[in-house]
């Protein structure tokens, strides 16, 4: 069912010529449909080509190695401000020297037919710009979380994807790995009765005070944007609902140079339509926390660690017995990238589209507002729910 | 150092005759001092005599059996509306038939010289009346928690104790047992650095919808008053501080007959002057929770179970290693009663006096207000701190 994939070049050329998104999209659909009738099925193992934008530690230590575990994804381009780093990594991963870009010539990636999908692994404040430029270059885009610094930026990214008729996904890797998926299933199946309360804690004691995560412009905020978002996500995907109200309390240690621009700790409460209440903590000041517990009427189930790259553990309590459930792990990044490749190659909507990232940004904005104003902030029903 | 203990009868008689609290107290001090000069030291093992008021399951299954583990406390009287139950228990614990009271003749306990201390184990809404009547009968009083249904009732109890020159303590048993004491020590010693966040969860899925805990007049409130108070207490004794602000979110399942009068779930956030933030849950609707974790800068420490009568477990995390700390347990009720006996026999202030119970009621009132009004409620600095 790889409808449009083999015809990217033609289509991209067409889009470039007309420069008119909606008309182009309509015309492209006609071309695609016509092409589809004559297409030869892809050979087994066909892989989408990925460009990695931003070669920080996440890209180097997690994302690039994960391609070895991908079935449908392969690295074909790198975008970096550091040519030395890019060259070394290109050699390691068999990427052509001509497929190394910097931030100035990034837009010429449109002319690289090997690149189907761009993975934005830049600081949060740069996600919007590089996503939109990626879409304008006719590529599909996977953006790291948080999607952007503001709901407005998220909306602009969604609009750019729509205009270019390309896909946009947010890298919520936990949605694609089996431990968190098993937690969702227990909740949905009501295996331990209806869920009542979710308790989620995510954070760590952040180091180097000069890092981008502590700069408001690059990070958009503090612990909430970077790590508290995992608590927020967990509450949302476990319930499968959107919160209607938030409370929050915030604290930054006075005089701590790390927290001059962004918050240290921000704890929040969420209310969901079914009555589930979530109590979440998020901190850059406390020792590593990475867990959530879902408390239902006849037992509870938890992950700790819950959202680390590896080593997740699940415990299920029923009556007086606690059981550790053994689940076959999967590389989170490989799973997430293969999902995106699958969506692109088969023209399916991703599980975590731009609208999902926008919704988190709307809720996080409400959490900051609740902490700042000392009041319960109500969210509109269905607001931003993708 | 049992200053006043041997002279209770004289003193009580005196107080009764004059009926004037302050003058009586002054005169009693003179008598006591005079008596003290000639007193023979108590033989080792001298025990204060206790009357148990209210023979529900807590009294039957926990408190009365705990006397066997007490060094300074013995049961000498029972107060109950059920003579059969009282007679059976009296036989079991060697209590004289003449020392069994009902709620009508309760006040005549003043004439029972064996009774030094009255332990109020009644529904919350009756604590104030029976404590005040106990003080008016010239006895010292230990009240179960929560101390009463309102701060005003707590204040009336404190006033009654003061007027009668008798001691008043609230039965916060966790302050007297070694696991929670060890947690306090780790926090105070900053063994894992300064405390940043406390996460505490207490609750259970409550059964019988006709029980007094679900009646507003008898219970004062729902899960918060009964079980959420353990989360509140933990946050207060771990920090050793008084909260300055609270947020809360509350939910009761519509149509659930258990929650017609009192709340099911009420989760709350506390801010302490040092910047510690606590995130607490409290529920009568979820499956048993009994834990708190204290997250500091270089590790965390937790109890789970934290406040059960038995079986507490402590885990301490530092770096990548989690250690279970083995602590010699002690019967919570024996420890608490012996503390009260010690305070009475040696005229020392209890660790958890009436002011401690009043402070919890003030904070719980603020939590209810925050949930109801959807706003952060500020507590006055030092308000009610005992």
């Amino acid at each position: 069912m790889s409808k449009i994939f083999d015809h990217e070049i033609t289509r991209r050329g067409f889009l470039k010529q007309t420069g008119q998104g909606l008309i182009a999209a309509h015309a492209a659909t006609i071309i695609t449909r016509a092409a589809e009738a004559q297409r030869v099925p892809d050979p087994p193992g066909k892989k989408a080509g990925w460009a990695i934008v931003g070669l920080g530690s996440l890209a180097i230590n997690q994302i690039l190695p994960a391609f070895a575990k991908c079935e449908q994804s392969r690295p074909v381009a790198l975008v970096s401000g550091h040519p030395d780093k890019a060259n070394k990594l290109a050699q390691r991963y068999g990427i052509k020297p001509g497929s190394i870009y910097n931030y100035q010539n990034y837009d010429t990636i449109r002319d690289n037919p090997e690149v189907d999908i761009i993975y934005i692994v830049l600081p949060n404040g740069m996600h919007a710009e590089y996503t939109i430029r990626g879409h304008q270059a006719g590529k599909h885009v996977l953006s790291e979380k948080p999607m952007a610094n503001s709901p407005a930026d998220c909306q602009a990214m969604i609009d750019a994807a729509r205009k270019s008729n390309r896909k946009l996904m947010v890298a919520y890797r936990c949605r694609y790995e089996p431990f968190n998926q098993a937690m969702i299933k227990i909740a949905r199946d009501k295996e331990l009765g209806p869920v009542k309360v979710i308790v989620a804690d995510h954070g760590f004691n952040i180091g180097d005070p000069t890092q981008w995560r502590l700069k408001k412009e690059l990070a958009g905020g503090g612990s909430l944007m970077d790590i508290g978002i995992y608590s927020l996500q967990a509450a949302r995907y476990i319930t499968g609902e959107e919160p209607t109200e938030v409370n929050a309390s915030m604290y930054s240690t006075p005089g701590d140079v790390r927290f001059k621009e962004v918050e240290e700790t921000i704890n929040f409460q969420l209310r969901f339509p079914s009555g589930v209440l979530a109590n979440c903590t998020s901190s850059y000041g406390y020792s590593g926390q990475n867990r959530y517990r879902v408390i239902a009427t006849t037992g509870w189930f938890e992950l700790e660690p819950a959202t680390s790259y590896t080593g997740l553990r699940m415990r299920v309590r029923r009556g007086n017995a606690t059981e550790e459930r053994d689940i076959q792990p999967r590389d989170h990044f490989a799973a997430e990238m293969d999902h995106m490749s699958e969506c692109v190659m088969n023209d399916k909507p991703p599980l975590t589209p731009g609208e999902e990232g926008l919704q988190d940004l709307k809720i996080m904005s409400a959490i900051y507002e609740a902490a700042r104003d000392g009041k319960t902030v109500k969210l509109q029903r269905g607001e931003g729910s993708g």
Side-chain angles (χ1 to χ4, degrees), chain A residues 1-11 28-29 31-33 35-36 39 116 140 165-167 343-348:
Chain A
M1 284 283 293
S2 181
K3 276 190 228 167
I4 58 172
F5 199 70
D6 289 342
H7 308 281
E8 287 298 288
I9 304 162
T10 312
R11 190 180 173 190
T29 305
I31 293 171
T32 304
R33 282 188 189 148
E36 203 174 19
R39 70 183 290 284
D116 302 303
H140 305 280
N165 198 28
R166 290 297 179 270
K167 295 192 190 297
C343 289
V344 165
M345 293 195 289
N346 296 321
D347 194 19
K348 296 197 295 197

Side-chain angles (χ1 to χ4, degrees), chain A residues 116-238:
Chain A
D116 302 303
I117 303 165
I118 292 174
Y119 193 167
I120 309 293
V121 201
L122 294 164
N124 310 340
M126 300 168 77
H127 291 178
E129 178 190 343
Y130 284 83
T131 293
I132 293 168
R133 285 168 65 183
H135 283 132
Q136 287 171 343
K139 306 300 184 184
H140 305 280
V141 179
L142 173 63
S143 169
E144 259 305 322
K145 38 66 42 191
M147 184 171 167
N149 280 8
S150 68
D153 280 354
C154 294
Q155 191 58 58
M157 294 158 82
I158 291 168
D159 293 344
R162 197 166 291 151
K163 194 172 170 193
S164 68
N165 198 28
R166 290 297 179 270
K167 295 192 190 297
L168 171 59
M169 174 172 141
V170 182
Y172 290 118
R173 61 187 163 76
C174 295
R175 297 293 297 277
Y176 302 98
E177 72 77 32
F179 284 83
N180 283 278
Q181 287 173 336
M183 292 287 284
I184 294 170
K185 185 168 188 326
I186 296 173
R188 292 287 190 289
D189 290 351
K190 297 188 170 58
E191 184 185 323
L192 297 157
V195 171
K196 288 292 186 175
V197 166
I198 297 166
V199 178
D201 303 297
H202 281 87
F204 58 93
N205 196 339
I206 200 165
D208 176 14
T210 66
Q211 66 187 283
W212 68 261
R213 282 186 170 78
L214 298 170
K215 309 288 178 203
K216 173 84 173 173
E217 199 181 332
L218 286 173
S223 64
L224 177 61
M225 296 285 280
D226 183 55
I227 184 78
I229 193 173
Y230 287 99
S231 293
L232 170 58
Q233 271 280 305
R236 291 180 58 226
Y237 57 69
I238 289 296

Side-chain angles (χ1 to χ4, degrees), chain A residues 13-21 23-24:
Chain A
F14 182 84
L15 284 167
K16 199 175 170 186
Q17 273 185 312
T18 70
Q20 295 177 6
I23 298 168

